Amino acid sequence: MELRQLRYLVAVAEEANFTRAAARLHVAQPGVSAQIRQLERELGQPLLDRSGRRVTLTETGEAVLPYARAALAAVDGVRQTADEFAGLLRGRVRLGLISGAAGHSFDVVSVLAGFHERHPGVEIALTEDTSERMLAALRSGELDLAAVGLTEEEPPPGVSFRLVVDEPLVAAAAPGDPVFERAAGGALPLAALEGRRLIGLPRGTGLRAVLERACTRAGFRPDIAFEAASPGLVTQLAARGLGVAVVPALPTAVAAEAGLWTRELTGPPLRGRVALAWRSDGSPRPAVRSLLERLHTALTRVAPDPGAG
């Protein structure tokens, strides 16, 4: 049994025609027929029914076809892995990003462009989603790598991560908003948000989970009046006086340009954390590992631990 015989069988089964299969494989049609007949003789069973206008699989052929496809996929995987370790990165990396991650301050686009230029043989499939859904997609194998918001110090089961962002969360509102009357020493107690109309990211995002968990521990339920997937839209809503936004810390100049006052939240202090995450059951494929390293190097801006000496 030869791999080309299995490849010919799969092509004929999918095209339901010897001539079209031969054209797809760029070989002569008699050669395809001869190789499949040789395979049938070796197996002692007919695999194709040639009696109709369309070529169809026999019962034995239907049973054999999944194994033929699996064998071909395994061989392709061996070649791809060998190429990757030889430095000829190929394949496909499925990358997920939290909404807003591709903005100016989190310049994923430049990293992906540089990676593609260096490794044109690697296809990158990019999607934006909530952290909750992307973590589920990582565990199920639908994603290879994702930038997600974190709510816990330890990674979720089945996932490993590298931290790239760790910064305080702040309350942001229009200048003169009454919420700031409760600020002291440049900080705002979390309890000041009780009963206020809040603006936040959707459920399933890391920041939303951090906010809801902190408010529950403080003894109240946050009143989320507006949800927006884009952090930029969240701050715009706050600047127009529609509520208090809870967002990662903004540079003073950026907050002023947006027309916002901000105060760091305390009691307890809230942190916004973003990590690059991947499945923990084994080492990532070379293409995934290479993109992970580039993203980690380019995006790491972990805030210093205020408790560190």
Side-chain angles (χ1 to χ4, degrees), residues 29-48:
Q29 186 267 333
V32 174
S33 298
Q35 288 297 323
I36 292 181
R37 288 195 181 280
Q38 183 175 334
L39 177 62
E40 289 175 320
R41 286 195 296 271
E42 184 175 342
L43 295 176
Q45 294 285 339
L47 302 175
L48 299 173

Side-chain angles (χ1 to χ4, degrees), residues 174-256:
D177 189 289
V179 74
F180 296 117
E181 295 174 2
R182 298 187 58 181
L188 186 71
L190 182 64
L193 301 184
E194 184 174 4
R196 290 303 311 268
R197 290 162 58 87
L198 303 181
I199 306 168
L201 297 178
R203 287 186 181 274
T205 58
L207 290 185
R208 177 68 173 269
V210 168
L211 174 62
E212 290 186 338
R213 184 170 302 179
C215 291
T216 298
R217 290 173 178 170
F220 70 95
R221 182 177 180 178
D223 176 13
I224 308 294
F226 293 93
E227 289 184 351
S230 165
L233 181 54
V234 169
T235 55
Q236 289 177 40
L237 292 168
R240 296 302 297 268
L242 295 174
V244 180
V246 177
V247 294
L250 300 170
T252 302
V254 173

Side-chain angles (χ1 to χ4, degrees), residues 33-116:
S33 298
Q35 288 297 323
I36 292 181
R37 288 195 181 280
Q38 183 175 334
L39 177 62
E40 289 175 320
R41 286 195 296 271
E42 184 175 342
L43 295 176
Q45 294 285 339
L47 302 175
L48 299 173
D49 183 349
R50 303 163 174 83
S51 61
R53 297 186 64 180
R54 288 170 52 88
V55 179
T56 60
L57 290 164
T58 64
E59 186 176 357
T60 302
E62 291 279 6
V64 165
L65 184 63
Y67 292 100
R69 284 178 169 147
L72 294 173
V75 171
D76 289 343
V78 169
R79 290 197 181 105
Q80 178 179 312
T81 300
D83 285 347
E84 289 176 341
F85 277 98
L88 304 173
L89 287 182
R90 301 182 186 279
R92 188 167 187 256
V93 179
R94 297 159 299 177
L95 173 66
L97 298 176
I98 51 176
S99 297
H104 175 71
S105 63
F106 202 74
D107 196 4
V108 176
V109 174
S110 294
V111 177
L112 296 184
F115 182 86
H116 176 69

Side-chain angles (χ1 to χ4, degrees), residues 264-305:
E264 188 172 335
L265 289 165
T266 60
L270 274 62
R271 308 288 297 182
R273 303 166 73 236
V274 176
L276 295 170
W278 65 95
R279 287 179 64 175
S280 55
D281 57 346
S283 177
R285 290 180 291 109
V288 176
R289 188 167 61 247
S290 179
L291 181 56
L292 168 63
E293 295 296 341
R294 290 179 71 92
L295 285 168
H296 184 257
T297 299
L299 303 178
T300 297
R301 51 187 179 92
V302 179
D305 182 352

